[in-house]
Amino acid sequence: MNEPTRKDSTILIVGGGASGTIAAIRLLRSDLGRAGRIRIRLFEKSRDLARGVAYGTSSDFHRLNVRHGKMSLFPEDPENFSRWIAKHHPGELSVSFQPRPRYAEYLSSSLAEARRDAPADSFSSVRDEAIGFDRDGE
């Protein structure tokens, strides 16, 4: 007996700030994402992903309110952000409360890595404002 084939899914994420970016990263790194079974379309009207209100500042005077050792994107890898700092900003690991723009950089870097590891066409961002959607069977 033939199994019915599963149709690939498209997941729309509205908002490319921290939450939307983290959702995209986690989906791309999931079993379905790595298998190319999902397509992610992230809608963000601003120029930059991963910044949003929380991390959109350009001032290093604005700091995270949590120590870098507790800011990993991956609960299964709690030292991920700390290792990223050591690699990309040597000498800054001693600064417990990192600048907010640095966390946005970490999010962007993590998204780029997840995209590289995922099949082609698994992710795209749309620089526009989402005002609704119409499901037409696709």
Short mmCIF file of all heavy atoms in Angstrom, two decimals, residues 112-136:
data_model
loop_
_atom_site.label_atom_id
_atom_site.label_comp_id
_atom_site.label_asym_id
_atom_site.label_seq_id
_atom_site.Cartn_x
_atom_site.Cartn_y
_atom_site.Cartn_z
N ALA A 112 21.90 33.61 9.83
CA ALA A 112 22.71 33.34 8.64
C ALA A 112 23.26 31.91 8.67
O ALA A 112 23.25 31.21 7.65
CB ALA A 112 23.85 34.35 8.54
N GLU A 113 23.70 31.45 9.83
CA GLU A 113 24.22 30.09 9.96
C GLU A 113 23.12 29.06 9.73
O GLU A 113 23.33 28.07 9.01
CB GLU A 113 24.82 29.92 11.35
CG GLU A 113 25.44 28.56 11.58
CD GLU A 113 26.03 28.45 12.97
OE1 GLU A 113 26.59 29.43 13.49
OE2 GLU A 113 25.92 27.35 13.55
N ALA A 114 21.95 29.29 10.30
CA ALA A 114 20.83 28.36 10.11
C ALA A 114 20.42 28.31 8.64
O ALA A 114 20.10 27.24 8.11
CB ALA A 114 19.65 28.77 10.99
N ARG A 115 20.46 29.45 7.97
CA ARG A 115 20.12 29.49 6.54
C ARG A 115 21.13 28.72 5.71
O ARG A 115 20.78 28.03 4.76
CB ARG A 115 20.03 30.94 6.06
CG ARG A 115 18.83 31.67 6.59
CD ARG A 115 18.79 33.09 6.10
NE ARG A 115 18.49 33.08 4.67
CZ ARG A 115 18.44 34.17 3.93
NH1 ARG A 115 18.68 35.35 4.46
NH2 ARG A 115 18.14 34.09 2.65
N ARG A 116 22.41 28.86 6.05
CA ARG A 116 23.46 28.13 5.31
C ARG A 116 23.29 26.63 5.45
O ARG A 116 23.57 25.88 4.52
CB ARG A 116 24.85 28.52 5.84
CG ARG A 116 25.42 29.78 5.25
CD ARG A 116 26.90 29.94 5.57
NE ARG A 116 27.20 29.86 7.00
CZ ARG A 116 27.16 30.88 7.85
NH1 ARG A 116 26.83 32.07 7.42
NH2 ARG A 116 27.46 30.70 9.11
N ASP A 117 22.86 26.17 6.63
CA ASP A 117 22.73 24.75 6.89
C ASP A 117 21.42 24.15 6.38
O ASP A 117 21.27 22.93 6.35
CB ASP A 117 22.84 24.47 8.40
CG ASP A 117 24.23 24.79 8.94
OD1 ASP A 117 25.18 24.90 8.15
OD2 ASP A 117 24.36 24.93 10.17
N ALA A 118 20.47 24.99 6.01
CA ALA A 118 19.16 24.52 5.54
C ALA A 118 19.17 24.40 4.01
O ALA A 118 19.98 25.04 3.33
CB ALA A 118 18.07 25.50 5.98
N PRO A 119 18.27 23.60 3.48
CA PRO A 119 18.18 23.50 2.01
C PRO A 119 17.85 24.87 1.38
O PRO A 119 17.23 25.73 2.01
CB PRO A 119 17.01 22.53 1.79
CG PRO A 119 16.92 21.74 3.06
CD PRO A 119 17.34 22.69 4.14
N ALA A 120 18.27 25.03 0.15
CA ALA A 120 17.99 26.27 -0.58
C ALA A 120 16.48 26.51 -0.62
O ALA A 120 15.69 25.57 -0.63
CB ALA A 120 18.54 26.17 -2.00
N ASP A 121 16.09 27.73 -0.61
CA ASP A 121 14.69 28.16 -0.67
C ASP A 121 13.89 27.79 0.58
O ASP A 121 12.68 27.80 0.56
CB ASP A 121 13.99 27.63 -1.92
CG ASP A 121 12.66 28.35 -2.17
OD1 ASP A 121 12.60 29.57 -1.93
OD2 ASP A 121 11.69 27.68 -2.56
N SER A 122 14.57 27.45 1.67
CA SER A 122 13.86 27.16 2.92
C SER A 122 13.43 28.43 3.61
O SER A 122 12.51 28.42 4.42
CB SER A 122 14.76 26.37 3.87
OG SER A 122 15.02 25.10 3.37
N PHE A 123 14.11 29.53 3.33
CA PHE A 123 13.85 30.78 4.03
C PHE A 123 13.91 31.94 3.07
O PHE A 123 14.78 32.01 2.21
CB PHE A 123 14.90 31.00 5.13
CG PHE A 123 14.76 32.32 5.83
CD1 PHE A 123 13.95 32.42 6.95
CD2 PHE A 123 15.42 33.44 5.39
CE1 PHE A 123 13.80 33.63 7.61
CE2 PHE A 123 15.28 34.67 6.03
CZ PHE A 123 14.46 34.75 7.14
N SER A 124 13.00 32.87 3.25
CA SER A 124 13.11 34.16 2.56
C SER A 124 12.47 35.21 3.44
O SER A 124 11.58 34.92 4.24
CB SER A 124 12.45 34.13 1.18
OG SER A 124 11.06 33.96 1.29
N SER A 125 12.98 36.40 3.32
CA SER A 125 12.37 37.51 4.05
C SER A 125 11.74 38.45 3.04
O SER A 125 12.23 38.62 1.93
CB SER A 125 13.41 38.24 4.91
OG SER A 125 14.43 38.78 4.11
N VAL A 126 10.65 39.01 3.45
CA VAL A 126 9.89 39.93 2.62
C VAL A 126 9.90 41.27 3.32
O VAL A 126 9.42 41.38 4.46
CB VAL A 126 8.44 39.44 2.41
CG1 VAL A 126 7.66 40.41 1.55
CG2 VAL A 126 8.43 38.04 1.82
N ARG A 127 10.47 42.26 2.68
CA ARG A 127 10.54 43.59 3.28
C ARG A 127 9.25 44.34 2.97
O ARG A 127 9.14 45.09 2.00
CB ARG A 127 11.75 44.35 2.77
CG ARG A 127 11.96 45.63 3.54
CD ARG A 127 13.24 46.29 3.14
NE ARG A 127 13.30 47.59 3.76
CZ ARG A 127 14.03 48.57 3.35
NH1 ARG A 127 14.82 48.39 2.31
NH2 ARG A 127 14.02 49.72 3.96
N ASP A 128 8.27 44.09 3.80
CA ASP A 128 6.96 44.69 3.60
C ASP A 128 6.16 44.50 4.88
O ASP A 128 6.55 43.75 5.78
CB ASP A 128 6.24 44.02 2.43
CG ASP A 128 5.18 44.90 1.79
OD1 ASP A 128 4.87 45.97 2.35
OD2 ASP A 128 4.67 44.51 0.73
N GLU A 129 5.04 45.16 4.93
CA GLU A 129 4.15 45.05 6.07
C GLU A 129 3.06 44.03 5.75
O GLU A 129 2.45 44.08 4.68
CB GLU A 129 3.52 46.41 6.35
CG GLU A 129 2.64 46.43 7.56
CD GLU A 129 2.15 47.84 7.87
OE1 GLU A 129 2.51 48.79 7.15
OE2 GLU A 129 1.42 47.98 8.85
N ALA A 130 2.86 43.08 6.65
CA ALA A 130 1.80 42.10 6.46
C ALA A 130 0.51 42.68 7.01
O ALA A 130 0.47 43.15 8.15
CB ALA A 130 2.14 40.80 7.17
N ILE A 131 -0.54 42.66 6.22
CA ILE A 131 -1.83 43.20 6.67
C ILE A 131 -2.92 42.13 6.66
O ILE A 131 -4.04 42.37 7.07
CB ILE A 131 -2.27 44.41 5.84
CG1 ILE A 131 -2.34 44.04 4.36
CG2 ILE A 131 -1.33 45.58 6.06
CD1 ILE A 131 -2.99 45.11 3.51
N GLY A 132 -2.57 40.94 6.21
CA GLY A 132 -3.52 39.84 6.17
C GLY A 132 -3.00 38.78 5.23
O GLY A 132 -1.95 38.93 4.63
N PHE A 133 -3.71 37.67 5.16
CA PHE A 133 -3.32 36.64 4.20
C PHE A 133 -4.58 35.91 3.74
O PHE A 133 -5.63 35.94 4.40
CB PHE A 133 -2.32 35.66 4.79
CG PHE A 133 -2.87 34.67 5.77
CD1 PHE A 133 -3.22 33.39 5.35
CD2 PHE A 133 -3.07 35.02 7.09
CE1 PHE A 133 -3.73 32.49 6.25
CE2 PHE A 133 -3.58 34.11 8.00
CZ PHE A 133 -3.92 32.85 7.58
N ASP A 134 -4.45 35.29 2.60
CA ASP A 134 -5.55 34.55 2.01
C ASP A 134 -5.03 33.15 1.70
O ASP A 134 -4.13 32.99 0.88
CB ASP A 134 -6.03 35.25 0.74
CG ASP A 134 -7.19 34.53 0.09
OD1 ASP A 134 -7.90 33.77 0.79
OD2 ASP A 134 -7.39 34.72 -1.11
N ARG A 135 -5.56 32.17 2.36
CA ARG A 135 -5.11 30.80 2.13
C ARG A 135 -5.87 30.26 0.92
O ARG A 135 -7.07 30.09 0.94
CB ARG A 135 -5.40 29.94 3.35
CG ARG A 135 -4.88 28.55 3.18
CD ARG A 135 -5.05 27.76 4.41
NE ARG A 135 -4.55 26.43 4.14
CZ ARG A 135 -4.68 25.42 4.94
NH1 ARG A 135 -5.29 25.56 6.08
NH2 ARG A 135 -4.20 24.25 4.62
N ASP A 136 -5.10 29.98 -0.13
CA ASP A 136 -5.73 29.51 -1.37
C ASP A 136 -5.40 28.06 -1.67
O ASP A 136 -5.43 27.64 -2.82
CB ASP A 136 -5.30 30.41 -2.54
CG ASP A 136 -3.82 30.38 -2.81
OD1 ASP A 136 -3.11 29.61 -2.15
OD2 ASP A 136 -3.37 31.10 -3.71
#
